[in-house]
Amino acid sequence: MLKSIHDMKFVFLALALAIFTETLTTGTPLFSMWDSAVAMSVIVFLALVTKHYINSPLPAFAYATLIGIAICLPDTVLRTFFLDSIGKVGFLSCCVPLLAFAGLSVGGKMEELKKLSWKIVVLFLIVSTSCFFGASIIAQIGFTMKGII
């Protein structure tokens, strides 16, 4: 439980960065997004506590996803609050701090990355190319079905 509270320090930092980024990009005042910070903090805290008490190989992100889905089911009491408050923060604003933290965590493992050397570049190219063509095929199918193309 103490580890979950300790991890929340980083969550608050990430949320603060996400809300600040949202303020910069959309002009939404900081004080009007307090409910967004509360809603996201609650979900993340519940996910960390669940991860602590359920001994499984699933990451905390999976529990956060499941908790978010459960909260947003059509007949739940909290659905409106969570959807309205979390909807104020854009996806890109959440990605900025997460990618920054990912970069910092990878930066601490440079020796391991050096051992992978050129293999990581090949893997990156394969994954990027596959994602691009996969998304293009799905878009093509969708546009064809809608009669847009």
Side-chain angles (χ1 to χ4, degrees), residues 8-145:
M8 286 303 290
K9 293 176 190 174
F10 298 108
V11 171
F12 289 136
L13 178 61
L15 288 175
L17 288 172
I19 289 174
F20 181 69
T21 305
E22 186 68 22
T23 299
L24 290 177
T25 56
T26 64
T28 307
L30 281 173
F31 60 85
S32 70
M33 294 197 296
W34 67 270
D35 55 343
S36 302
V38 169
M40 288 188 276
S41 298
V42 166
I43 291 175
V44 172
F45 182 72
L46 290 174
L48 291 172
V49 169
T50 305
K51 170 75 174 155
H52 176 73
Y53 286 110
I54 296 177
N55 191 12
S56 78
L58 288 175
F61 181 79
Y63 292 114
T65 302
L66 293 173
I67 290 168
I69 289 170
I71 287 174
C72 293
L73 288 173
D75 293 331
T76 56
V77 179
L78 300 172
R79 179 178 194 257
T80 306
F81 169 74
F82 276 89
L83 288 178
D84 290 344
S85 61
I86 293 175
K88 292 179 187 176
V89 181
F91 179 71
L92 184 60
S93 297
C94 291
C95 287
V96 170
L98 293 176
L99 291 174
F101 288 133
L104 290 173
S105 68
V106 168
K109 300 177 182 176
M110 287 304 287
E111 293 304 318
E112 292 177 27
L113 285 175
K114 287 179 185 176
K115 291 178 187 174
L116 294 173
S117 66
W118 61 272
K119 298 173 202 165
I120 196 79
V121 174
V122 172
L123 180 65
F124 166 75
L125 291 173
I126 291 171
V127 169
S128 297
T129 305
S130 300
C131 289
F132 174 77
F133 283 115
S136 299
I137 290 168
I138 291 171
Q140 181 71 31
I141 291 169
F143 286 150
T144 304
M145 289 173 61

